[in-house]
Each structure stands twice: as structure tokens, then as C-alpha cells.
Amino acid sequence: MITDEQQIESEEILKTLIKKSWNSSEFKNEFLKNPNEIISREMGKDFSLPEGQELVVEDQTDESTIFINIPRPASDMDELQLTDEQLECVSGGEGVVLAFWIVTALAAGVT
């Protein structure tokens, strides 16, 4: 299970990545092309997903477009356990942070 400290670190990294992407088109383009490399750099340690998995970063800043994300089926995530606090975040609409937490947890091999 991921610790509260790891979750907080993941949230801070996500916030940093989003802010840098908003402030620098060069950074955003690099993040879109090489997300694992950029996350590794921001984390200060290697970031990789299990073999066969890919991280996709989409630029959804176009205000004239509405984006819909189709998540993987719930059965694929049966082994992932969330704390009460994490469940509260999901019900409170903090899905972007949770999505990043899930990616981080999967990359760390945490279930």
C-alpha cells in the first residue's frame, strides 16, 4: 500500500508538472513527448511503468474542446487498495490527483 507521504509527494509532483506545462510550451512539449523522463527528472529518481504499460500525457488546454477520458475497466484495478482518505478524494472530485497516484503506485509496484 502506498504511504500518505508517497501520495503527498505524487500530488506535489503532479502539481509541479501541470504548472510548468502551463507556464512553458517548451516544457509542455517535452512532457508530452517523454513523460517518463520528465517525471523521473522531477522526482529525482527513476520512474518507469511495468513492462507492457505506457503513460500517455494529453494536452487538454484547448478551451474549445471538451475531453472525455475512458478509463480501464474496474476489474483491471481490483487489486488496488485505497485508503479512506483516498476514497474521499475520489468522491470529492480530485480524480486527476488520484489518477496520477495510481500511475505512481503502479510504477512503484504498489498494490
Side-chain angles (χ1 to χ4, degrees), residues 6 8 10 17 34 47 50 52 62 65 71 76 88 100:
Q6 289 169 317
I8 290 168
S10 296
L17 292 168
N34 303 303
F47 172 84
D62 182 352
T65 304
D76 289 350
E88 182 77 22
F100 189 73

Side-chain angles (χ1 to χ4, degrees), residues 66-86:
I66 301 202
F67 297 89
I68 297 175
N69 181 50
I70 302 171
R72 69 173 93 180
S75 62
D76 289 350
M77 299 177 68
D78 285 342
E79 295 182 21
L80 186 63
Q81 299 175 7
L82 302 178
T83 65
D84 289 339
E85 182 180 351
Q86 293 157 346

Side-chain angles (χ1 to χ4, degrees), residues 85-97:
E85 182 180 351
Q86 293 157 346
L87 289 170
E88 182 77 22
C89 287
V90 175
S91 65
E94 297 179 27
V96 173
V97 171

Side-chain angles (χ1 to χ4, degrees), residues 1-3 5-6 16 22 31 35 39 54-55 58-59 61-62 69 71 78 82 91 95 99 102 104 107-108 111:
M1 189 77 178
I2 192 168
T3 66
E5 184 177 295
Q6 289 169 317
T16 298
W22 285 340
F31 187 34
I39 294 170
E54 175 185 15
L55 175 61
E58 292 286 337
D59 181 1
T61 57
D62 182 352
N69 181 50
D78 285 342
L82 302 178
S91 65
I102 290 170
T104 305
T111 57

